Amino acid sequence: MGMYISISNGSGWGGAGGVFDCIVESTRELFGKDQYGCMRKIYEALDEQAQSFIVLDDVASECFNLFYSHCKTAMDSFPESSRGKKVPENHIPGILWNWSEVLRLMREDIRYKE
């Protein structure tokens, strides 16, 4: 089943459920308690509506960039993470390539700030 990260109106990334889970759940783990509101807004469709996507379209710039920062950090540490160690080693390059595509698409959004 395909999963989707909606980045902005008309822009997003779609991929296999396993890759999606690696990206969104590794990123979710980095949200602190003080960032709960932002995380909840992004993950609402997935968590509360049982949809097969997360939505960044309507989040404020600050929340968008927080997700980007956590997503990048999660990607950089993924191969050594507990989640990454459960994935067959030969799948890691493909997961990281897809992850980098999510980040690239986010950098193209007007809300992205370095």
Side-chain angles (χ1 to χ4, degrees):
M1 174 193 209
M3 307 293 272
Y4 192 70
I5 299 174
S6 181
I7 294 171
S8 64
N9 294 332
S11 175
W13 171 89
V19 176
F20 174 88
D21 286 344
C22 288
I23 295 170
V24 301
E25 296 306 332
S26 295
T27 300
R28 184 199 304 255
E29 292 172 359
L30 298 178
F31 279 88
K33 289 181 182 180
D34 60 327
Q35 300 165 340
Y36 177 77
C38 173
M39 183 197 68
R40 185 169 182 261
K41 176 98 171 130
I42 292 169
Y43 288 83
E44 182 176 24
L46 183 67
D47 293 344
E48 297 175 19
Q49 300 167 11
Q51 300 295 323
S52 59
F53 54 85
I54 62 169
V55 181
L56 301 169
D57 300 34
D58 298 327
V59 300
S61 179
E62 182 179 307
C63 185
F64 183 88
N65 285 287
L66 182 61
F67 183 86
Y68 179 92
S69 175
H70 288 334
C71 194
K72 174 84 169 86
T73 298
M75 183 183 93
D76 291 344
S77 63
F78 181 73
E80 296 82 33
S81 72
S82 60
R83 188 179 305 274
K85 296 216 180 285
K86 294 176 184 172
V87 173
E89 192 172 326
N90 64 339
H91 291 190
I92 299 286
I95 293 168
L96 295 177
W97 182 87
N98 279 281
W99 213 321
S100 69
E101 282 299 294
V102 171
L103 294 172
R104 180 187 64 77
L105 290 168
M106 290 184 72
R107 285 191 301 272
E108 292 175 358
D109 190 277
I110 60 171
R111 295 170 290 174
Y112 174 75
K113 308 251 187 300
E114 280 189 66

